[in-house]
Amino acid sequence: DTAVSQTPKYLVTQMGNDKSIKCEQNLGHDTMYWYKQDSKKFLKIMFSYNNKELIINETVPNRFSPKSPDKAHLNLHINSLELGDSAVYFCASSPTTGTYGYTFGSGTRLTVV
Amino acid sequence: DQQVKQNSPSLSVQEGRISILNCDYTNSMFDYFLWYKKYPAEGPTFLISISSIKDKNEDGRFTVFLNKSAKHLSLHIVPSQPGDSAVYFCAARGAQKLVFGQGTRLTINP
């Protein structure tokens, strides 16, 4: 009965490939986010969507394209993967934009070789 | 530029003693500050928060202190228990998003 679920949990892929990470929340929240935990361990926001509308795009390379088919789903597609994309990606949701009660998924560890 | 920083990557505390985790920020426009706790292979979970108009918030064994003039907040856990061993992230709310620090790994020793 997971509140925010991400798949896959682990992803190992070669440079140049295209991959997707899926996220679903069953909390009825309006806002969803993607965060990246970088090599220095900071959790940095990449995108946020409110009810399928893009709210934040935090200077992320355009190889990263979020897709929100409905307010319960926010998927992340990455084209032409690079070594520097290796990180842990966390999906999160909150009741509305600006509220701070985020619920996080368990993360997807992406390794680009 | 990292607006929220946790300068101690790790902290080791004996069970029963007080754990103090620190966080510094640079943006005076942040209006809420939070602590999240993260176990391995799980996502961060919300622990406690404080509004920028307060200087202290307490919830059971957890107390967060905010010093706005110093742009500093701290999380006190007393008494520390083995289950408190985790990574703790400080976060601040501003511009429709949470800005996180890099986390401090707390280890509680029996």
Side-chain angles (χ1 to χ4, degrees):
Chain A
D1 208 29
T2 308
V4 179
S5 59
Q6 298 178 226
T7 53
K9 194 166 181 68
Y10 300 97
L11 184 54
V12 181
T13 188
Q14 291 188 326
M15 275 195 305
N17 284 349
D18 303 338
K19 290 293 178 186
S20 292
I21 306 172
K22 295 186 176 182
C23 180
E24 176 181 3
Q25 55 96 3
N26 62 7
L27 298 166
H29 289 170
D30 283 342
T31 308
M32 296 185 72
Y33 310 83
W34 277 109
Y35 275 79
K36 177 182 179 180
Q37 187 173 25
D38 63 18
S39 58
K40 294 184 178 178
K41 303 300 182 186
F42 285 95
L43 275 166
K44 293 184 177 177
I45 190 166
M46 301 173 69
F47 303 101
S48 76
Y49 269 73
N50 185 64
N51 206 6
K52 302 192 296 177
E53 181 183 347
L54 180 66
I55 302 297
I56 293 175
N57 181 341
E58 199 77 1
T59 323
V60 177
N62 57 17
R63 297 183 295 104
F64 291 78
S65 54
K67 293 283 192 301
S68 183
D70 55 60
K71 74 174 193 176
H73 295 83
L74 180 60
N75 304 322
L76 184 64
H77 189 77
I78 315 170
N79 289 328
S80 303
L81 277 155
E82 301 177 356
L83 292 176
D85 298 331
S86 296
V88 182
Y89 293 85
F90 288 96
C91 177
S93 70
S94 66
T96 60
T97 300
T99 57
Y100 55 78
Y102 288 21
T103 302
F104 280 86
S106 57
T108 296
R109 181 175 294 278
L110 171 65
T111 304
V112 182
V113 297
Chain B
D1 64 329
Q2 307 299 344
Q3 298 183 66
V4 177
K5 288 187 180 179
Q6 296 171 254
N7 292 316
S8 298
S10 62
L11 176 66
S12 186
V13 174
Q14 194 167 5
E15 183 179 355
R17 299 290 186 105
I18 184 170
S19 296
I20 301 176
L21 295 100
N22 294 302
C23 178
D24 297 298
Y25 63 95
T26 58
N27 188 341
S28 58
M29 299 301 292
F30 289 141
D31 65 349
Y32 261 94
F33 301 89
L34 307 92
W35 287 93
Y36 277 75
K37 178 179 180 179
K38 183 184 179 304
Y39 291 119
E42 295 182 12
T45 56
F46 170 72
L47 186 59
I48 191 169
S49 66
I50 187 168
S51 164
S52 60
I53 63 173
K54 307 263 182 162
D55 55 19
K56 177 183 174 180
N57 187 28
E58 191 172 350
D59 183 4
R61 297 185 298 113
F62 302 91
T63 303
V64 57
F65 295 92
L66 176 62
N67 182 335
K68 284 185 67 177
S69 61
K71 292 191 175 67
H72 178 85
L73 66 155
S74 60
L75 174 68
H76 292 211
I77 306 172
V78 56
S80 300
Q81 299 175 354
D84 297 329
S85 294
V87 175
Y88 290 78
F89 287 95
C90 170
R93 186 178 78 172
Q96 300 184 332
K97 64 185 179 186
L98 290 185
V99 180
F100 286 83
Q102 69 270 54
T104 296
R105 181 178 300 279
L106 175 64
T107 302
I108 306 301
N109 302 307

